[in-house]
Amino acid sequence: MKTTKSETRIISEENNSPLLYLLKGTSIAYAVTLIVFIVYSIILTYTDTTEENLSTVIMITVVVSVLISGFDTARGVKNKGLIWGLIAGFIYSAIMIIVGFCVVPDYKLSASSLINLILGLAGGGFGGIIGINTKKY
């Protein structure tokens, strides 16, 4: 028996867990973050640019990355895009905080950590809303 393309897509989507979509979305978000940080560090190294815009670059990168994470996660799940987007944003931000504790010896939770967590939740939730509403059925 031959299956059609749409049947194959439905069958493969049924086998995927929402957690796999969450893992994929978070991985893509960290790939975007890594690329932006590498490009910005190269710019800082080889130009006369100063580090005064570093916090702005970090905030914009966090928002864009979690928006992508929430969007991609919600596109894969069947419903509750806001919730899955919030979860994606929280996981992204929590991992950033954990890495901060592991890498920076005197890292402490501060106002900027809280701001990054709030930005992560807001961006992920917004991305989840957009993702669930642009889903192809």
Side-chain angles (χ1 to χ4, degrees):
M1 182 173 127
K2 203 172 189 184
T3 58
T4 65
K5 191 174 188 178
S6 64
E7 289 173 334
T8 305
R9 186 175 62 95
I10 291 169
I11 291 169
S12 67
E13 285 180 3
E14 288 175 358
N15 294 331
N16 290 333
S17 163
L19 296 177
L20 288 175
Y21 291 115
L22 183 64
L23 179 64
K24 179 185 168 211
T26 305
S27 299
I28 291 170
Y30 273 109
V32 169
T33 301
L34 183 66
I35 291 167
V36 170
F37 286 176
I38 288 172
V39 168
Y40 191 66
S41 65
I42 290 170
I43 290 170
L44 284 174
T45 303
Y46 294 109
T47 66
D48 293 334
T49 305
T50 63
E51 294 180 10
E52 67 185 25
N53 296 327
L54 184 61
S55 62
T56 305
V57 170
I58 290 171
M59 280 193 211
I60 291 171
T61 302
V62 166
V63 170
V64 170
S65 295
V66 296
L67 197 123
I68 291 169
S69 178
F71 178 84
D72 195 58
T73 301
R75 289 266 317 209
V77 297
K78 293 182 180 179
N79 53 18
K80 299 183 182 171
L82 173 64
I83 302 297
W84 283 105
L86 288 170
I87 293 169
F90 178 77
I91 288 175
Y92 176 93
S93 298
I95 291 171
M96 288 291 264
I97 291 170
I98 291 168
V99 168
F101 277 118
C102 294
V103 174
V104 180
D106 58 344
Y107 184 83
K108 295 176 186 166
L109 288 177
S110 63
S112 69
S113 302
L114 182 61
I115 289 170
N116 278 338
L117 182 61
I118 292 169
L119 288 174
L121 289 169
F126 188 65
I129 291 169
I130 295 170
I132 202 76
N133 287 309
T134 59
K135 191 172 172 175
K136 294 180 182 177
Y137 294 98

